[in-house]
Amino acid sequence: MIILIVEDDSGLADLIKEKVEECGYKTASVKSAGEAMEWLSMNTPYIMLLDYTLPDMNAKEFITELQRKGDLLPTFIISTGQGDERIAVDMMKLGAMDYIIKDNNFLDLLPEVIRRVVREIENEKKAKEQKERLENVIESTRLGTWEWNVQTGEVVLNERSAEIIGYTLDEIIPVSNQAWKKNVHPDDYKRAYELLKLHFARDLEYYECEVRIKHKNGHWVWVLNKGKVIEWRKDNKPLRMFGIYMDITENKEMYEKIQELSIRDPLTNIYNRRYIFDRLEVIVAEFLRENKNFTVSIIDIDYFKKVNDKYGHQAGDFVLKEFADIISGSLRPYDLSGRYGGEEFIIVSMNSGKEQTGLKMDRILEIVRNKKFIYKDNEISFTFSCGISEGSELDDISVAALIEAADQRLYKAKNSGRDMIVINS
C-alpha cells in the first residue's frame, strides 16, 4: 500500500515520509498539484496526504479539477498550516476522509490519523464486499424483463415475466398496460402510479416499486418492479420505458438487507449522505406539490478534534456512534437522520417548522450536555452547534438552497460561541 505525500516543503515531506514508513506503509512524494496529477494518471495510492497550500493551486482547486476531468478520486487526508476550520469543512465536503493541522503536534498525531482512515477504508470495503456478495446471490436468479411504449400502452415481456405469475408468454400475449393495471393489487396500484408520475416528471431518476400481482392460481406474488425511461419525445413526454420484474416473495428480506447496506453509514448505522440527499429531492418535490413543510438541521460536534487528540480516534468513533444513537432515539419514526460527513450530522424533520424543530434540537443538546460518555474509563463530554432551515422560508426552494441556509446558521452558531441552536440568519 502506497501513501502519496503531496507537500512542497521538502524538509517537512522527508519528516512525513519517515513517520508514514514507520507505520509500515510505502510512500511516494511530489511537490505540486501538477506533479500529483501526473503521478495519479499512472498510479493509484491507498491514501493521499494532501497539503492544502501548493505552489500551483490549493487543494480545493486540485480536487475540483480531478473531479471535473472525471479522474478517479483517491482517498485523501488534508494537512493545513492555516488552522481555518472553514477550509477543513469545505474539504470534508469534497470527500476528504480527515484533516490535520500542521502545528507542533502534527508529526506525533499523523500516524494515528492515518490508522483511523485505514480503519474507515477497511470498514467500507467490508460493507461493499458484503453488499456485492448478496447482490450476486440475487443476480443469479432469473429476472423478468419488460419494455413499455408509454404512448400506445403496448408492453413486451420475456418468458420469465409470464412465468413469475404462472403463465406462459403465449397465454398472456398481447400485453398492455391496462392488463397490468387489472392484475396489480388495488392497495399497491396508487403508490405505483404516483411513483411513475414522479419519474415521468424527472423528480425520480428511476421508477422502483414493490407490488403484488395476481398469480394464475389466484394468490398474490410480491414483485419488485424497477424501470427507467430510455427514450423521451421532443415534447419531453416519456416514449419508451425499460425495466425488470423480480419475484421477491421469498427473497424480499434478503433484498431489503442489500438496500439497507447501500444507504447506511458503516460506522454509525444511520443513513448515509447520499441517501439523505436522494430523499430530500423527493421531499422537496412533495413540498412543491402539496406544501407540506419540513426542516433541515445540520449539526456539528464542537471541538471534536480535541476528543480525537486527547483520547484517540477510536474514542472519537465511539462518540460518533453514541451521538448517532441519541439522535435516532430522539426523533419521530418518520423523521430522517444521517451522517453528513466527519463529525457533522443532518436531520430532516417532516411536518415541522424551525421553531418546533429548534425545541427538539434543544432537548437533544440538553441530553448531550448532561451525559458523560465513558470510553475505557475516560469520561468524555461535548456539545454541538446546529443550524436549521425550513422549506416554507425559501422563495426558490431546492436541496442546495436548504443546505446552504442551514450551513450559514451552523457557522453563525459556531462563531457565536458554539453549544447552541440557530434558526435565523
Side-chain angles (χ1 to χ4, degrees):
M1 294 187 292
I2 296 178
I3 293 183
L4 175 62
I5 301 166
V6 187
E7 171 61 62
D8 61 325
D9 184 329
S10 299
L12 181 56
D14 288 340
L15 294 173
I16 293 171
K17 181 175 184 293
E18 182 179 338
K19 282 289 183 181
V20 172
E21 290 179 350
E22 284 177 3
C23 296
Y25 304 108
K26 296 179 180 179
T27 61
S29 297
V30 294
K31 296 181 178 180
S32 68
E35 289 180 11
M37 286 184 186
E38 183 177 353
W39 192 94
L40 290 170
S41 69
M42 298 178 289
N43 305 276
T44 302
Y46 191 67
I47 296 171
M48 177 170 62
L49 181 60
L50 179 61
D51 182 22
Y52 184 80
T53 304
L54 296 167
D56 44 356
M57 64 179 75
N58 63 38
K60 184 175 182 180
E61 294 167 337
F62 172 55
I63 296 299
T64 301
E65 178 64 12
L66 286 179
Q67 292 173 334
R68 185 192 67 79
K69 291 169 61 181
D71 291 348
L72 181 65
L73 187 63
T75 299
F76 66 98
I77 301 169
I78 288 294
S79 62
T80 173
Q82 299 183 34
D84 187 331
E85 188 167 329
R86 185 59 188 260
I87 288 176
V89 171
D90 285 346
M91 293 310 299
M92 295 292 279
K93 289 178 181 178
L94 280 174
M97 292 287 282
D98 211 330
Y99 67 94
I100 182 168
I101 296 173
K102 293 180 185 175
D103 55 17
N104 293 335
N105 297 318
F106 169 65
L107 292 171
D108 292 329
L109 295 175
L110 181 60
E112 179 57 32
V113 171
I114 292 174
R115 282 191 285 266
R116 177 179 179 274
V117 171
V118 169
R119 285 197 303 271
E120 289 208 20
I121 292 172
E122 291 302 313
N123 286 340
E124 290 180 1
K125 181 181 177 182
K126 288 176 183 177
K128 182 179 179 182
E129 288 173 350
Q130 185 180 3
K131 178 175 180 288
E132 288 176 350
R133 282 196 299 270
L134 291 171
E135 284 178 339
N136 289 335
V137 172
I138 288 183
E139 286 176 3
S140 66
T141 63
R142 293 176 297 152
L143 298 176
T145 63
W146 52 267
E147 185 176 343
W148 176 26
N149 186 315
V150 182
Q151 300 304 315
T152 66
E154 180 185 5
V155 179
V156 177
L157 303 175
N158 70 347
E159 189 71 43
R160 176 58 181 159
S161 294
E163 183 183 310
I164 287 173
I165 53 175
Y167 293 92
T168 66
L169 194 55
D170 290 339
E171 287 180 293
I172 59 174
I173 291 176
V175 186
S176 69
N177 186 50
Q178 287 302 312
W180 178 83
K181 176 181 177 180
K182 181 180 177 181
N183 285 288
V184 172
H185 194 290
D187 291 346
D188 300 334
Y189 177 75
K190 181 179 179 182
R191 176 167 47 89
Y193 182 63
E194 289 298 322
L195 289 169
L196 265 178
K197 287 200 301 184
L198 285 173
H199 178 55
F200 290 165
R202 301 185 191 247
D203 291 327
L204 291 177
E205 184 180 355
Y206 55 87
Y207 163 76
E208 177 176 341
C209 190
E210 294 176 0
V211 297
R212 285 159 287 183
I213 301 180
K214 185 173 288 186
H215 192 275
K216 183 179 181 179
N217 294 337
H219 63 274
W220 296 100
V221 178
W222 271 107
V223 171
L224 173 66
N225 193 9
K226 297 181 69 171
K228 185 173 183 177
V229 174
I230 57 174
E231 186 177 351
W232 298 83
R233 297 195 330 187
K234 290 182 179 179
D235 60 2
N236 210 33
K237 291 183 178 179
L239 179 58
R240 285 195 307 129
M241 188 172 179
F242 181 83
I244 62 166
Y245 283 135
M246 180 188 296
D247 183 352
I248 58 169
T249 309
E250 295 181 358
N251 297 327
K252 189 174 180 181
E253 183 178 343
M254 183 180 291
Y255 182 79
E256 288 175 350
K257 187 174 181 181
I258 290 175
Q259 292 295 91
E260 281 296 301
L261 283 169
S262 69
I263 62 178
R264 295 283 177 180
D265 173 62
L267 177 65
T268 61
N269 202 39
I270 60 176
Y271 291 122
N272 59 30
R273 175 193 176 107
R274 182 182 63 186
Y275 177 77
I276 293 291
F277 273 61
D278 286 345
R279 290 290 299 127
L280 272 174
E281 293 288 354
V282 177
I283 291 166
V284 167
E286 290 175 348
F287 173 82
L288 291 172
R289 291 195 313 274
E290 303 173 21
N291 202 33
K292 292 181 180 178
N293 201 18
F294 67 98
T295 62
V296 172
S297 306
I298 298 180
I299 293 173
D300 184 88
I301 296 177
D302 296 328
Y303 304 110
F304 182 71
K305 184 177 181 299
K306 291 184 178 179
V307 174
N308 283 333
D309 291 349
K310 184 174 181 180
Y311 302 105
H313 284 273
Q314 288 185 337
D317 289 350
F318 169 79
V319 166
L320 292 173
K321 288 187 282 189
E322 290 288 302
F323 185 45
D325 288 344
I326 290 173
I327 292 173
S328 299
S330 304
L331 301 182
R332 299 166 298 181
Y334 46 84
D335 293 332
L336 299 171
S337 64
R339 191 174 176 195
Y340 190 48
E343 65 270 24
E344 287 190 314
F345 294 79
I346 184 168
I347 297 172
V348 182
S349 303
M350 306 303 300
N351 301 315
S352 181
K354 291 186 299 183
E355 289 78 10
Q356 181 182 350
T357 299
L359 292 173
K360 183 188 302 180
M361 293 303 108
D362 277 328
R363 288 194 291 271
I364 296 174
L365 181 54
E366 192 63 24
I367 291 171
V368 172
R369 284 176 181 148
N370 295 323
K371 183 176 175 63
K372 300 296 183 184
F373 296 83
I374 309 299
Y375 180 78
K376 292 185 177 180
D377 298 328
N378 293 306
E379 289 190 357
I380 303 173
S381 300
F382 67 89
T383 58
F384 65 80
S385 303
C386 175
I388 303 173
S389 62
E390 73 173 58
S392 61
E393 70 177 325
L394 299 176
D395 295 330
D396 187 14
I397 186 172
S398 67
V399 173
L402 284 161
I403 297 296
E404 178 65 23
D407 251 339
Q408 288 178 356
R409 289 161 191 173
L410 170 62
Y411 288 122
K412 183 177 180 181
K414 294 168 79 69
N415 291 333
S416 301
R418 307 177 191 246
D419 189 18
M420 67 179 68
I421 317 297
V422 173
I423 65 173
N424 294 308
S425 300

